[in-house]
Amino acid sequence: MNIDVHAHIIGPAFYDAMKKIPGVTTVPNRYGTGILKNGETVINVNQDFFAPNHHLHEMDKRRIDLSLLSLTTPNVYVFPKEMQAEAARLANDEAFDRARKLPDRVRVLASLPLDDIPASIAEINRVAGMKE
């Protein structure tokens, strides 16, 4: 069995939330769209990432049987500290939703707002009860 333990995800709702952060702008580039915060590139996003079967197609192309998904860089830390817990919930909900649609192929490594330990513990408890 081939297992990819370093697969990243970014969901459309998380992407939209990133675009609303103060100081964030977007710019078209060769990858698709660049998200910049205060003029510096945070991440480049290709709209293909949001296609329902994009990740599955990439897995099949590379003969990957199982992927462990984690939120891509910059994770929740691009958000102001007071928004990181909600960003983690949003990202985890999208990742678990994807895993539920592909139960034999995908697992989730949850994102945590580590700048806020009580919120991180709350998110661990919340996702511990979620089904993949």
Side-chain angles (χ1 to χ4, degrees):
M1 176 179 269
N2 292 320
I3 301 173
D4 181 358
V5 299
H6 194 135
H8 288 148
I9 185 174
I10 182 170
F14 187 84
Y15 172 73
D16 288 342
M18 283 179 60
K19 294 188 301 185
K20 295 176 184 171
I21 298 170
V24 165
T25 56
T26 60
V27 59
N29 62 28
R30 65 185 174 137
Y31 305 106
T33 304
I35 294 184
L36 289 72
K37 185 174 181 185
N38 301 322
E40 296 197 21
T41 300
V42 173
I43 187 173
N44 294 304
V45 177
N46 184 316
Q47 294 297 315
D48 291 345
F49 295 164
F50 304 135
N53 291 319
H54 174 75
H55 186 74
L56 185 60
H57 173 73
E58 293 297 317
M59 287 174 64
D60 289 343
K61 190 164 72 175
R62 291 167 176 75
R63 290 181 266 153
I64 302 294
D65 299 305
L66 179 69
S67 275
L68 303 180
L69 294 179
S70 61
L71 182 60
T72 193
T73 302
N75 208 291
V76 300
Y77 307 108
V78 68
F79 288 86
K81 182 178 178 180
E82 65 275 5
M83 296 173 68
Q84 290 176 7
E86 179 57 33
R89 283 189 293 276
L90 180 62
N92 290 333
D93 287 348
E94 286 187 305
F96 276 88
D97 183 55
R98 172 127 0 136
R100 279 189 292 277
K101 291 175 182 169
L102 301 167
D104 297 331
R105 304 290 305 274
V106 174
R107 299 290 183 273
V108 176
L109 301 173
S111 293
L112 300 174
L114 294 176
D115 289 337
D116 183 342
I117 300 304
S120 293
I121 293 169
E123 186 62 4
I124 288 169
N125 290 329
R126 188 182 80 88
V127 299
M130 295 176 83
K131 297 225 185 257
E132 292 179 297

